[in-house]
Amino acid sequence: MNTYKVIKIEGTLIYLGKDDGTLLKVEQTSFNFVPQLGDIVEAYKSEETYIIAKKSSEVPTEKKEKGPLTIKNIKVMAWLGIVLTLLRDPLFFAIPVMMGHLLKEKGEKDSGNFMLGVSIFAGITALITRFILTGRFS
């Protein structure tokens, strides 16, 4: 993998280090951004030229979302689905499952996975509770 960390800046010369101890010296003109100490970057080489890009897993600048399917609205709908699952009917677990998938599509992988886990837990809990309250065990 071509992932490095900016470990030293000396004028226009940038030193990049890898976990295995590999050191790469690159001119600042190879960067498509202003490098800072500690930045995680990806290095690509074309002949004798390097192209350095900030790693995509870095937190991107927040952009305004428009429309009804903002991340905040999706999370609200997912939690509403959890409440409906626990208080009303176990079939409502489909709402937070769908919202979890939407969160993952919008780049909120951790939130999406969390929501999927919570919805499965809520669905199982609602089913168990429903069988206990109705006395239908067989």
Side-chain angles (χ1 to χ4, degrees):
M1 192 134 162
N2 298 328
T3 303
Y4 290 84
K5 183 176 183 178
V6 176
I7 59 172
K8 184 177 180 182
I9 300 174
E10 194 173 84
T12 61
L13 196 58
I14 312 297
Y15 293 85
L16 305 174
K18 251 186 170 179
D19 289 340
D20 65 357
T22 307
L23 184 66
L24 180 64
K25 292 188 268 184
V26 184
E27 287 291 326
Q28 188 170 0
T29 56
S30 298
F31 287 76
N32 64 356
F33 66 98
V34 178
Q36 302 291 321
L37 285 177
D39 282 347
I40 306 297
V41 298
E42 292 178 332
Y44 302 94
K45 186 175 182 182
S46 172
E47 298 169 6
E48 295 301 315
T49 311
Y50 283 97
I51 298 172
I52 311 295
K54 210 168 206 183
K55 189 141 168 88
S56 60
S57 66
E58 293 281 304
V59 178
T61 56
E62 197 172 311
K63 56 183 176 184
K64 286 287 186 183
E65 292 183 283
K66 295 181 181 177
L69 289 179
T70 63
I71 291 174
K72 180 180 177 185
N73 287 348
I74 292 171
K75 288 180 180 180
V76 168
M77 288 187 281
W79 284 110
L80 178 64
I82 297 292
V83 170
L84 289 172
T85 300
L86 291 171
L87 298 179
R88 183 74 180 128
D89 193 328
L91 293 178
F92 280 110
F93 87 97
I95 294 171
V97 167
M98 290 186 305
M99 296 303 116
H101 285 293
L102 278 174
L103 285 170
K104 288 171 82 171
E105 284 179 15
K106 291 202 171 259
E108 295 277 322
K109 186 177 178 183
D110 291 339
S111 294
N113 287 336
F114 176 74
M115 198 51 63
L116 291 172
V118 170
S119 62
I120 291 169
F121 175 78
I124 291 170
T125 303
L127 281 172
I128 291 170
T129 304
R130 189 171 198 173
F131 282 116
I132 288 173
L133 293 177
T134 58
R136 294 187 225 171
F137 293 107
S138 55

